[in-house]
Amino acid sequence: MSPQSKDSPLAPEWLSVPADLNTLEPKMWAQDAARNDSGELTVGGIPVSELQQQYGTPLFVMSEDDFRARARAFSDAFNNAFADICGGVDVYYAGKSFLCTAVVRWVEEEGLRLDTASGGELAVAAKAGIPGADVALHGNNKSDLEIHRALDMKLGRIVVDSLGELVRVGDIAERRGEQAKVMLRLTPGVHAHTHEFIATAHEDQKFGLSMAADTTEQAGLSAAEEAVAAASAHPGIELLGLHCHIGSQIFEPDGFALAAQKLLRFLAAMQEKYSIVLPELDLGGGYGIAYTSVDTPRPAAEIAEAMAAVVRSTCAELGIDSPRISIEPGRAIVGSTTFTLYEVGTLKTVRVDAPAEAGASDGGNNVTYPRRYVSVDGGMSDNARPVLYDADYSAILASRTSTAGPQLSRVVGKHCESGDIVVRDVYLPEDVAAGDLLAVPGTGAYCWALSSNYNYLARPGVVAVRDGSARLIVRGETEEDLLNRDMGV
Ligand code: LLP
């Protein structure tokens, strides 16, 4: 007899069989995602089959109402927590997570600002018409062109990443007879618990000015201090303050709080030593979201309170007024607003030996266990995160409910690559069949943004749902789009 597929020993330890495979776990979904009376997944009341008919699959389905609600919730939570400390917080939505002109307008209408990381992102901001004063520019290797563009747009802040760049920004602004508004990005040496490639405040990485002593040619000075001294002396620079970003997809507030404390101590020391005032402190983004049932993101208010408590006590201890605080959340605003809708194609079941650590005893009979591969019509070209960061996702059968039993499944794409995995491990109903629709939640951040044309797949469109109606905010690519940069010579 073949072993039961329920509770498969092939499943990772964190994955348990859901009590009901049809349930949407609220923490992973937009607030207006639900099943209708016929069991179909809907967003804002619109069934996914309708979206498929109109726009095709794969498709990014984003709830605009949910985006706006999350943007407001973040901004309200931080403004409340910091009201008595510095009058509130400026929230810069990190456009790298997902950016198009519609989103820039939502951000602006909800009272947030915009964080960009390249000339291209600045072009989107400009096209959307957001005032430059509400825009920040990041990047560890900004081109002169990008610096000029930032100055043309009269950006509210350019976040300078290195000593060399500081001089370049200052000189360009001075030649233009202007002053660039500058924040200095520092690496506070806080090691956040996240994937190595998305942790950014430790020493051994490309971003930011080190706060460790003796990191420049001037004996005893850190690169961060040398930058403060150089920036305050440069006629082309108005030094607004300091910035840090410790990493991404972080749940625990203590890393943010520790970074805030380190930067405040440094800020106070610099104000004293150089007789300057640094009126702004940006604590970056990085707040985590739920991709699977075991992820435990904190409510924005809890993070905000934890950070506010540390800023309040540190400023009191240092005897300084708190600078104006800003933050840069991306994923926490857009991530859970969106799911990717795919159509199921090829199905295949393989039989696999139980991993030794699963402890399955087969009495020497070499028992194998089934894993079902469910192929969908997209893949690593619309979600590179599983490949890049071993990111886990979950998935549900979206076009209908099912009473069939759970089957350990691996959702894979259609690329010519065996690592082309969308959801590594998930229990799906045994009767999932070709033509069914699957939905993968939590794909609002860094999925469309990281998408590619690998194997000449067209990048999917993005549909936004608001007040029960859907519209394309980014159209999907056509075959013509795929060919139109090919010079044919
Ligand atoms: N501020 C700065 C300076 C950043 O570098 C980032 C993200 C953010 C804010 C926004 O972080 P968030 O709140 O979205 O975590 N592609 C990776 C994440 C890269 C994050 C890059 N910087 C991923 O898919 O996990």
Side-chain angles (χ1 to χ4, degrees):
M1 210 186 85
S2 83
Q4 290 299 304
S5 54
K6 199 168 168 3
D7 275 313
S8 169
L10 302 181
E13 216 165 280
W14 61 265
L15 182 69
S16 50
V17 180
D20 179 354
L21 291 171
N22 301 306
T23 305
L24 308 183
E25 246 192 275
K27 67 179 174 181
M28 290 187 249
W29 294 87
Q31 64 198 4
D32 49 352
R35 288 200 188 266
N36 63 14
D37 292 344
S38 33
E40 196 175 337
L41 176 65
T42 62
V43 57
I46 305 172
V48 287
S49 57
E50 245 175 57
L51 295 172
Q52 179 193 29
Q53 259 165 28
Q54 200 169 350
Y55 305 107
T57 52
L59 182 68
F60 287 99
V61 182
M62 178 176 287
S63 165
E64 177 180 346
D65 292 315
D66 193 56
F67 183 103
R68 288 175 181 271
R70 286 177 201 270
R72 276 197 304 274
F74 237 88
S75 162
D76 288 351
F78 275 82
N79 273 305
N80 290 339
F82 282 85
D84 66 311
I85 300 176
C86 52
V89 168
D90 299 316
V91 182
Y92 288 75
Y93 167 69
K96 70 203 76 180
S97 57
F98 175 77
L99 192 65
C100 66
T101 54
V103 159
V104 177
R105 285 191 293 272
W106 307 346
V107 161
E108 216 191 334
E109 284 164 15
E110 299 304 333
L112 280 70
R113 302 180 184 206
L114 181 69
D115 164 20
T116 65
S118 71
E121 290 185 6
L122 280 182
V124 180
K127 184 157 185 207
I130 187 172
D134 291 343
V135 179
L137 175 66
H138 277 281
N140 65 302
N141 189 23
K142 300 176 191 72
S143 67
D144 286 1
L145 218 64
E146 287 172 323
I147 294 166
H148 277 288
R149 183 166 211 161
L151 294 169
D152 290 343
M153 287 174 69
K154 304 201 180 320
L155 287 207
R157 52 174 68 166
I158 299 175
V159 185
V160 163
D161 210 88
S162 63
L163 285 160
E165 184 182 279
L166 181 67
V167 174
R168 234 156 24 90
V169 170
D171 289 354
I172 290 174
E174 193 181 357
R175 281 200 298 276
R176 292 168 55 119
E178 298 169 23
Q179 270 201 322
K181 293 178 188 299
V182 162
M183 305 275 284
L184 297 174
R185 176 167 177 171
L186 312 187
T187 46
V190 173
H191 199 94
H193 307 282
T194 188
H195 191 285
E196 185 194 346
F197 296 160
I198 49 181
T200 50
H202 53 290
E203 284 294 308
D204 191 8
Q205 44 102 10
K206 70 173 181 170
F207 292 110
L209 293 148
S210 174
M211 293 172 75
D214 283 322
T215 43
T216 69
E217 263 128 60
Q218 287 194 46
L221 284 197
S222 64
E225 177 168 352
E226 190 172 327
V228 169
S232 17
H234 199 301
I237 286 179
E238 178 189 347
L239 182 58
L240 296 179
L242 308 176
H243 172 284
C244 70
H245 170 75
I246 62 170
S248 198
Q249 183 58 4
I250 298 165
F251 294 137
E252 303 300 329
D254 51 351
F256 301 117
L258 184 61
Q261 190 178 53
K262 285 196 161 188
L263 261 79
L264 281 168
R265 290 197 171 135
F266 180 79
L267 180 138
M270 293 301 103
Q271 295 195 147
E272 164 108 29
K273 182 161 173 187
Y274 295 96
S275 305
I276 49 172
V277 177
L278 299 172
E280 307 255 359
L281 177 63
D282 191 308
L283 298 171
Y287 316 103
I289 64 163
Y291 288 104
T292 69
S293 54
V294 293
D295 287 335
T296 52
R298 304 287 191 276
E302 189 183 323
I303 304 167
E305 287 298 343
M307 289 167 69
V310 167
V311 170
R312 193 182 289 111
S313 62
T314 309
C315 288
E317 166 205 315
L318 294 166
I320 58 166
D321 288 337
S322 171
R324 174 87 181 173
I325 302 289
S326 49
I327 55 166
E328 300 170 333
R331 188 191 318 261
I333 290 178
V334 71
S336 307
T337 65
T338 301
F339 60 83
T340 310
L341 189 65
Y342 298 104
E343 184 175 324
V344 173
T346 305
L347 292 139
K348 144 178 172 170
T349 301
V350 296
R351 299 202 66 88
V352 184
D353 292 334
E357 69 272 18
S361 147
D362 62 11
N365 290 331
N366 194 25
V367 178
T368 56
Y369 295 86
R371 185 196 317 280
R372 187 180 41 176
Y373 280 83
V374 178
S375 296
V376 294
D377 49 357
M380 61 192 286
S381 52
D382 59 69
N383 189 354
R385 299 193 69 259
V387 181
L388 282 178
Y389 318 115
D390 285 331
D392 285 312
Y393 281 86
S394 48
I396 60 153
L397 174 57
S399 38
R400 61 187 172 91
T401 49
S402 167
T403 52
Q407 165 82 70
L408 184 70
S409 304
R410 180 160 288 172
V411 181
V412 294
K414 59 180 288 163
H415 292 277
C416 296
E417 186 124 5
S418 52
D420 171 27
I421 290 167
V422 179
V423 185
R424 191 174 306 276
D425 297 290
V426 60
Y427 286 103
L428 288 171
E430 277 167 331
D431 64 351
V432 165
D436 277 332
L437 295 176
L438 285 192
V440 174
T443 57
Y446 306 110
C447 290
W448 186 87
L450 283 167
S451 62
S452 77
N453 289 128
Y454 184 36
N455 295 137
Y456 273 78
L457 261 65
R459 280 173 292 192
V462 184
V463 153
V465 176
R466 180 162 208 212
D467 290 339
S469 66
R471 69 185 194 285
L472 270 183
I473 54 170
V474 183
R475 71 162 172 80
E477 284 174 324
T478 60
E479 207 164 290
E480 202 187 340
D481 291 323
L482 293 178
L483 285 165
N484 77 17
R485 287 183 304 144
D486 184 328
M487 303 305 284
V489 289

